[in-house]
Amino acid sequence: MAIATTSLIYLSSVVLFGACIENVVLRDKYGDAVRKNLVVGTLAWPSPWVIVIGSFFSTCGAGLQSLTGAPRLLQAIAKDNIIPFLRVFGNGKVNGEPTWALLLTAIIAELGILIASLDMVAPILSMFFLMCYLFVNLACAVQTLLRTPNWRPRFKYYHWALSFLGMSMCLALMFISSWYYALVAMVIAGMIYKYIEYQGAEKEWGDGIRGLSLSAARYALLRLEEGPPHTKNWRPQLLVMLKLDEDLHVKHPRLLTFASQLKAGKGLTIVGTIVQGNFLENYGEAQAAEQTIKNMMAIEKVKGFCQIVVSTKVRDGIAHLIQSCGLGGMKHNTVVMGWPYGWRQSEDPRAWKTFIDTVRVTTAGHLALLVPKNVSFYPSNHERFTEGNIDVWWIVHDGGMLMLLPFLLRQHKVWKKCKMRIFTVAQMDDNSIQMKKDLATFLYHLRIEAEVEVVEMHGSDISAYTYERTLMMEQRSQMLRQMRLSKTEREREAQLIKDRNSLIHPVNVYVDEEEELHIYPEKIQMTWTKEKCESERSRSGANTPNSFRELISIKPDQSNVRRMHTAVKLNEVIVNRSHDSRLVLLNMPGPPKNQDGDENYMEFLEVLTEGLERVLLVRGGGSEVITIYS
């Protein structure tokens, strides 16, 4: 009722003034037409002094109201620490009187008086009032459009269009009054907003910008679900697999460095790790691991998300992480993981078996895979390569992944000055000249600057070195199997003292306790007699010499010899051409279908990358990732 009454009075005043006074007189700014008197005073009864006295008291009342209300508002803003440099004005007397805020308000009011020109002060005051009303209307309209649950206006006939209309009118009046004052006021408001956003406020009441961001993100995710991305829009969306030590420290932080250099803040980056154990018992550990990774991401300037999975088996946890990461169409298409260092010296095969299982999972999910080898030698974000080459050995067509990665790396300041060289391997019966021309034409259409070289591999006989490496590989596999067998026999002897459930197994980040108990289930017995124990010992002692004789007389498998021969010859060529390169990119062959050859597969990869400082093994996801169309 009060709003309706005051609105009626103000509107009727406009109509009555227009009806009683001529247009020319209303436009007379200095009152020359009415002898320098107030226009309202000529209509006043019984004397023009009624208007003068009323205006004086009204001005005094409004001034006192502002002088008492503004300092308290300033004190409240300062106490909330919304604008940090105003913190001093939050102090006052013991009874809460805003002394410092009152002093600042008085100074501002005195400056307005010293200007001594109402025409200059009025636009400034009008801009800030209109700006205040503009943002109030904008906030109401945004909250209504976002359908925020806590936005519940009491006015039943409210509509967001009313707020939008009020905002538009305030903006229009600002520019009608004074366009340059309007621009200055908007710049000041923008600077204050960015300052608050940068410094951060201790108290957070929520803002409409976050609601707009959520709505925009939801809309974008729904749009991404409409279909797969086109090849020209493809970029690696990374899932970086990190490994933590017992103290929850990142073992290879350079993986994050490499990810930041490859992404340069663009696209999606998810950093994940596996915490072994039960979720109910290890929830706190998972939270600590998440905070550790977030801190490391901030140090390495990786913009992305963190995902922790708690699983009793590390291999299952990795599979779950690869399957479930992302949301809708915003999912990873590339997995980055470290190389299992020291796998040869480890008696436990689970470290490298987990690596190979991850390779199989990424292949099954049609995801690309990047494995930086010797990642500790990779450059930090503070280093700069002033010269050097990034060499790409294009052995198998992988959808253009090997072509795209060096281009993305060279967008970063660390790799910017490195040149790109592409090597492809030809057999003796191939037309090397034509292959080089075709590859150069392909790169020209891709608009990638690179030097092209075709390397001919001569068909030579299998060397004694290759035969010896294969023999050592198979002897090592046989020896490890025997070592694991003797370990099982030692566990049998322990059964004379403890039962099976009290066995203490060595703790390893990539060891699954459930599998530890079932490595050789057919060879573990719960109850032993003295005769059984003696017969078992004598049997194992009799078999030991035969086992070593078999180990010495073993002959390597011919298929392994051929694979080793290919790996050795290719490694010789790569080391000869790329030994001084800053980075070497290689096609990563797929793991064998038969899991009995997993250890040989690891040995082949070691031989293929031997003698190279920085190697990036790349396995494509089975789809084209680069195109000649822009």
Side-chain angles (χ1 to χ4, degrees), residues 437-449:
K437 288 182 178 179
D438 293 341
L439 186 54
T441 304
F442 180 58
L443 291 175
Y444 173 77
H445 288 303
L446 291 176
R447 297 172 298 283
I448 293 179
E449 296 182 4

Side-chain angles (χ1 to χ4, degrees), residues 491-498 527-530 533 537:
E491 289 177 354
R492 287 174 177 170
E493 294 181 6
Q495 293 292 338
L496 295 171
I497 304 172
K498 300 179 181 179
T527 306
W528 288 81
T529 61
K530 184 177 180 181
C533 183
R537 286 178 178 174

Side-chain angles (χ1 to χ4, degrees), residues 160-173:
W160 65 267
L162 293 174
S163 296
F164 189 78
L165 178 62
M167 181 194 71
S168 303
M169 292 176 65
C170 290
L171 186 63
L173 286 173

